[in-house]
């Protein structure tokens, strides 16, 4: 539209607005009407922006017309919002009940609780830690000194030029905090938000959540790691789930392993979700690296420990068959209401 | 890295099948991705872990599978008899940057395209071919893992020096780009100029061309840390830099140089000089002690004592078996094997994780507490969900334009991915309003949302646990206020008292705040137009609240005291009074309580403003419940109390009974 047809447009808006407001029965429809006509990107706003680009000789006249329109629309809204709504009366028992309002937990909370509950049953305490971490806790204490090539495994957001403050890339720094605070033996899980400099797509999000586990004691072994995690996977995904451990590499565990479960979608037959392998990688784990123990002043000859980290979004996606990680932070109510 | 089955086979004496190779690599957890597979050939790719530089070579991969079938390694031919005596002077400025540097002159070489056989080998593993001597250096890198460089000898001036770059020094690398260097980078230079970015890429000024006949081959040991820094600094990551930053063994340096010499002499002719070298020759073998007990305890299984012994021998180690331990001398190329735990992992990998039993720890029960923050957050969610509120989870990273909605200094990312996610949220409110906008645009007409999450402050850098609530719908402000009071009472705030203040982001109506133990704990307001316009909302339909959870931590789990239900009945009286339009209701309640009557509860049930009463008045209808703990109140007493209230309302507020 250009400024020449602006006057016609004003008349058109007046007529349409009048008709539509009479059809707007309740407050929310009136609000929709308001956004359409008076909103930030509403029809009035379009005219106002046009005004700025109109020729000088026509501007005063157009300005006046736009202003009149604005008053007209506001008056319409005021008049209608004063009129009382008709309440539903009478004794017709077939009319529907009033919509009930119920609260909902976010699917990430629901999934986290399901996961945490399984570990609490095995005697784990639940911890948290800050999102803003030091380079020391996020990397160095986890056996990744400055210039260690393994740091490339996590693309990091920094909060200062020196690179000493960052947004944690995993919940593993909570391991360091817990070990400094407690005396073995202990077992804890930690839940929290993590950050990686990954572009947002269907399976990557720069902001995501993890559940971390750590158990330290005198004779904790790889066999125990297997026992605990197989129990966890079968409790969460069903007793028939097969659980597979393969060697992997993390700087802060030795030996390290990756855990896969038989695909929850196709039960191991092969489907697109599992890239036709029948297996889904679900978590990373291992025995605490002696260097990590040394960094927090534990004697690796006296203690051993097991540790694991699980992505909460990924787990929720597998549990519910959610296909896109972006749903979690978008908070579309139509999505949230699926998981009550 | 990309590998071909045929190249791996060349490094082994025995025959193996592609399937066997694949199975072994999978057992080791290397996740080979197969691109091409026939009976005779298999091309595959492996993402090599950061600690396994040795696997960035065909030889390394062959070594890794030897233990599965006690295979025999077949090193590539590399015996060289120098026929020239010509040397070339070499110097290292600092052996912390470059531990060892070796080179060799070759004269009379036929430079040209490679033979078809060589080209095929290289193309299968993803290299692009150019001149034969360059192709051969790539082949040797793939075979041995040693990055090599070939200079045109006649374009070098007098000598080689390995030094840091000078400030503002530039070098045009082989890819044709001019690179600005600084003291963080290491260069190879001759007497007058830099001729290569050490360990990363050669320089165009000393590049081999078709006219070249005389070469200088370089094989060196650069410090991993220096190459990593230099590579990050110049933003140049190459096959060479990836290998150097993961570490290379000293033995590989001479194997690489001799292998390349052998190939050039045999395939492109020429006469070779002796090895010229500088630097130190680091001892790369390590002895690691592995206790059998530790092995048993950490894996939770008994592994037959012969298994580790044979394994380490097959991996190229020397093993001394003691009564309760192994002393293992590890070759230099296995830089990942640094201590006992590394050897234990190696045993577990070859033994197979699958064969390790499954068990639960036998442990002394030592109760481990949960952190109060976690319990608090989950409790808060339950209280709100019970009240019909919906939990949302917003991102911590928000658009830079939201900066103006945060009251305190905000925190920004130094290296954001985009402006739309470059700021850390300093409040939950804008995020909640955005979620309202998003859902409004999809036709949702009433919303009650909350988020419990972290907010971030810049001065000083810190984070805080916050609860945000937003309501969209009719009578938003008062509906939210009711829930907020309920929430605060359930969270252990004994008495909710509101103060009115002007505040940031609030509309002209201002904001109400509530203190707890002397600290502000909650605030509620109708957002002002600046923010509601931004999110395209009508501010009469929206109200928001922010609650700081820290102060509530201690009270939330305190057991509530028992109070016996009252024995005597209560009486209720209703009042309809006209007040000045801006009356402060908290003051009204305060005055009524200060009359010291047996008042149990005061509640407002109707408010009217309009044509039937004067324009400067508001009609408030409220009820007061009276109850005495020890007896039933008489009608006369109630009448007296009521009169006292009406009198006090008139005296303090000019409140009159509505006619
Ligand atoms: Zn599947």
């Amino acid at each position: 539209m250009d400024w020449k047809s602006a006057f016609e447009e004003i008349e058109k808006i007046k007529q349409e607005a009048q008709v539509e407001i009479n059809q707007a029965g309740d407050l929310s429809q009136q609000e929709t009407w308001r956004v359409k006509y008076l909103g930030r990107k509403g029809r009035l706003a379009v005219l106002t922006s046009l005004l700025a680009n109109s020729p000088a000789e026509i501007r005063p006249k157009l300005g006046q017309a736009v202003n009149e329109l604005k008053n007209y629309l506001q008056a319409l809204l005021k008049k209608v919002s004063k009129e009382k709504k008709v309440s539903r009366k009478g004794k017709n028992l077939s009319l529907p009940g009033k919509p009930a309002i119920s609260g909902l937990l976010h699917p990430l909370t629901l999934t986290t609780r399901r996961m945490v509950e399984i570990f609490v049953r095995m005697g784990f305490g639940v911890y948290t830690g800050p999102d803003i971490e030091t380079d020391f806790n996020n990397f160095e204490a986890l056996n990744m000194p400055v210039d260690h090539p393994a740091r490339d495994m996590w693309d990091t957001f920094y909060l200062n030029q020196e690179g000493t403050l960052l947004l944690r890339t995993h919940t593993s720094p909570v391991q360091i905090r817990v070990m400094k605070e407690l005396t073995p033996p202990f077992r804890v899980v930690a839940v929290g938000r993590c950050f990686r400099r990954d572009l947002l797509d269907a399976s990557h999000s720069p902001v995501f959540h993890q559940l971390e586990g750590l158990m330290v004691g005198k004779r904790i072994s790889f066999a125990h790691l297997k026992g605990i995690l197989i129990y966890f996977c079968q409790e969460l995904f069903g007793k028939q789930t097969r659980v597979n451990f393969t060697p992997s590499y993390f700087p802060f565990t030795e030996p390290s392993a990756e855990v896969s479960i038989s695909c929850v979608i196709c039960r191991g037959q092969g489907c697109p979700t599992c890239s036709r392998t029948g297996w889904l990688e679900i978590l990373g784990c291992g025995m605490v690296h002696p260097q990590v123990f040394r960094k927090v002043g534990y004697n690796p000859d006296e203690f051993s420990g097991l540790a694991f980290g699980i992505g909460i979004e990924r787990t929720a996606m597998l549990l519910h068959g959610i296909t896109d990680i972006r749903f979690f932070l978008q908070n579309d109510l139509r999505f949230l209401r699926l998981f009550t | 890295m990309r590998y071909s089955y045929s190249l791996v086979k060349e490094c082994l004496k025995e025959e193996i099948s592609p399937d066997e190779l694949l199975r072994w690599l999978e057992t080791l957890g290397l996740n080979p991705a197969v691109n091409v597979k026939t009976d005779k050939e298999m091309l595959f790719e492996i993402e090599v872990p950061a600690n396994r530089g040795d696997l960035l070579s065909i030889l390394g991969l062959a070594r890794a599978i030897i233990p599965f079938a006690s295979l025999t390694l077949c090193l590539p031919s590399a015996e060289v008899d120098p026929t020239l005596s010509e040397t070339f002077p070499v110097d290292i400025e600092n052996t912390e940057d470059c531990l060892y540097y070796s080179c060799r002159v070759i004269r009379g070489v036929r430079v040209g395209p490679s033979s078809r056989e060589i080209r095929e080998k290289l193309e299968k593993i993803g290299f692009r071919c150019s001149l034969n001597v360059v192709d051969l250096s790539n082949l040797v890198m793939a075979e041995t893992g040693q990055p090599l460089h070939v200079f045109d000898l006649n374009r070098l001036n007098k000598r080689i020096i390995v030094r840091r770059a000078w400030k503002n020094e530039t070098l045009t690398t082989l890819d044709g780009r001019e690179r600005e260097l600084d003291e963080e980078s290491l260069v190879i230079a001759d007497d007058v100029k830099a001729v290569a970015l050490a360990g990363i890429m050669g320089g165009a000024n000393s590049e081999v061309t078709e006219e070249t006949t005389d070469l200088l081959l370089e094989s060196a040991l650069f410090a991993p840390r220096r190459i990593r820094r230099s590579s990050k600094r110049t933003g140049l990551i190459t096959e060479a830099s990836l290998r150097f930053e993961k570490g290379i063994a000293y033995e590989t340096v001479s194997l690489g140089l001799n292998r390349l010499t052998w190939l050039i002499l045999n395939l492109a002719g020429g006469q070779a000089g002796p090895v010229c070298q500088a630097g130190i020759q680091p001892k790369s073998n390590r002895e690691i002690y592995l206790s059998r007990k530790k092995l048993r305890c950490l894996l939770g299984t008994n592994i037959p004592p012969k298994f580790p012994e044979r394994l380490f021998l097959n991996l190229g180690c020397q093993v001394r078996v003691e009564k309760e331990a192994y002393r293992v001398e590890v070759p230099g190329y296995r830089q990942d094997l640094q201590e006992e735990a590394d050897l234990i992992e190696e045993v577990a990998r070859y033994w197979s994780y699958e064969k390790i039993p499954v068990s639960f720890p036998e442990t002394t029960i030592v109760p481990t507490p949960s952190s109060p923050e976690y319990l608090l957050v989950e409790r808060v969610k339950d209280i709100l969900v019970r009240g019909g509120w919906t939990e949302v989870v917003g991102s911590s990273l928000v658009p830079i334009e939201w900066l103006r909605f945060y009251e305190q200094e905000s925190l920004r990312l130094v290296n954001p991915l985009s402006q739309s996610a470059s700021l850390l949220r300093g409040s939950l409110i804008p995020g909640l309003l955005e979620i309202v906008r998003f859902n409004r645009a999809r036709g949702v007409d009433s919303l009650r949302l909350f988020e419990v999450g972290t907010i971030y402050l810049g001065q000083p850098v810190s984070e805080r646990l916050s609860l945000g609530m937003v309501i969209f719908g009719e009578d938003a402000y008062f509906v939210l206020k009711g829930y907020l009071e309920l929430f605060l009472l359930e969270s252990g705030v004994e008495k909710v008292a509101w103060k009115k203040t002007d505040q940031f982001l609030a509309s002209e109506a201002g904001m109400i705040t509530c203190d707890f133990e002397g600290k502000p704990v909650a605030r509620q307001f109708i957002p002002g137009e600046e923010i509601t316009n931004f999110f395209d909302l009508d501010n009469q339909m929206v109200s928001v609240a922010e609650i700081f959870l820290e102060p509530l931590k201690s009270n939330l789990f305190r057991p509530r005291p028992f109070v016996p239900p009252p024995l005597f009945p209560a009486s209720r009286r209703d009042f309809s009074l006209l007040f000045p339009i801006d009356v402060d209701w908290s003051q009204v309640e305060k005055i009524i309580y200060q009359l010291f009557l047996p008042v149990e509860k005061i509640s407002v049930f109707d408010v009217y403003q309009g044509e039937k009463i004067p324009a400067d008045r508001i009609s408030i209808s409220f009820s007061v419940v009276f109850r005495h703990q020890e007896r039933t109140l008489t009608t006369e007493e109630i009448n007296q109390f009521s009169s006292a209230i009406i009198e006090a309302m008139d005296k303090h507020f000019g409140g009159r009974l509505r006619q």
Side-chain angles (χ1 to χ4, degrees), chain A residues 212-227:
Chain A
E212 183 86 11
L214 175 68
M215 177 171 190
V216 179
K218 283 225 151 94
R219 280 182 161 228
I220 303 300
S221 74
F222 196 88
H224 302 145
L225 179 73
K226 285 183 75 173

Side-chain angles (χ1 to χ4, degrees), chain B residues 43 56 101 223 430 460-461 591 598 658:
Chain B
L43 307 183
L56 289 172
Y101 191 98
V461 173
I591 293 293
R658 190 171 159 196

Side-chain angles (χ1 to χ4, degrees), chain A residues 71-119:
Chain A
N71 293 336
Y72 176 80
L73 293 172
Q74 281 173 342
L76 267 186
L77 185 64
K78 216 171 179 180
K79 188 170 143 243
V80 167
S81 52
K82 268 186 190 164
E83 283 165 14
K84 290 221 165 162
K85 292 167 297 158
V86 186
S87 71
R88 240 183 249 167
K89 277 187 180 163
K91 295 273 191 292
N92 184 339
L93 303 189
S94 71
L95 289 173
K98 281 203 159 194
I101 299 173
S102 81
L104 308 169
L105 286 168
H106 193 280
L108 285 176
T109 297
L110 292 169
T111 306
T112 309
R113 286 188 177 183
R114 283 177 75 166
M115 295 163 78
V116 164
E117 192 267 333
I118 297 168
F119 289 109

Side-chain angles (χ1 to χ4, degrees), chain A residues 263-276 278-280:
Chain A
C263 179
V264 290
I265 313 285
C266 63
R267 297 187 184 274
Q269 300 303 301
C271 71
T273 305
C274 58
S275 314
R276 319 218 166 268
W279 292 96
L280 295 164

Side-chain angles (χ1 to χ4, degrees), chain B residues 539-653:
Chain B
N539 72 350
Q540 292 312 311
M541 303 272 287
V542 191
S543 187
V544 293
E546 219 170 0
I547 298 97
F548 301 109
L549 296 177
E550 276 304 307
L552 299 177
K553 212 157 65 182
S554 52
N555 256 22
L556 202 54
F557 298 97
R558 194 176 289 168
R560 306 289 184 261
F562 168 72
V563 179
L567 289 171
F568 298 95
S571 304
R572 170 181 153 152
R573 280 295 155 93
D574 293 348
F575 302 84
S576 271
L577 296 179
L578 291 181
F579 287 99
I581 202 153
D582 58 349
V583 65
D584 180 347
W585 184 255
S586 64
Q587 288 301 316
V588 173
E589 287 195 4
K590 200 170 143 197
I591 293 293
I592 296 175
Y593 282 113
Q594 277 174 357
L595 295 170
F596 298 106
L597 306 171
V599 170
E600 189 177 78
K601 199 178 160 195
I602 304 168
S603 32
V604 172
F605 60 86
D606 193 30
V607 177
Y608 178 78
Q609 256 177 281
E611 289 150 18
K612 294 174 197 156
I613 58 169
D616 62 342
R617 297 272 125 173
I618 179 168
S619 159
I620 303 178
S621 303
F622 60 100
S623 66
V624 178
V625 175
F626 301 99
R627 193 200 303 269
H628 200 286
Q629 294 304 313
E630 279 141 22
R631 59 188 171 81
T632 307
L633 291 166
T634 64
T635 314
E636 271 136 55
E637 282 174 307
I638 309 281
N639 288 343
Q640 277 172 26
F641 297 158
S642 302
S643 309
I645 289 175
I646 293 168
E647 208 173 295
M649 293 300 100
D650 189 13
K651 185 174 153 206
H652 292 277
F653 306 103

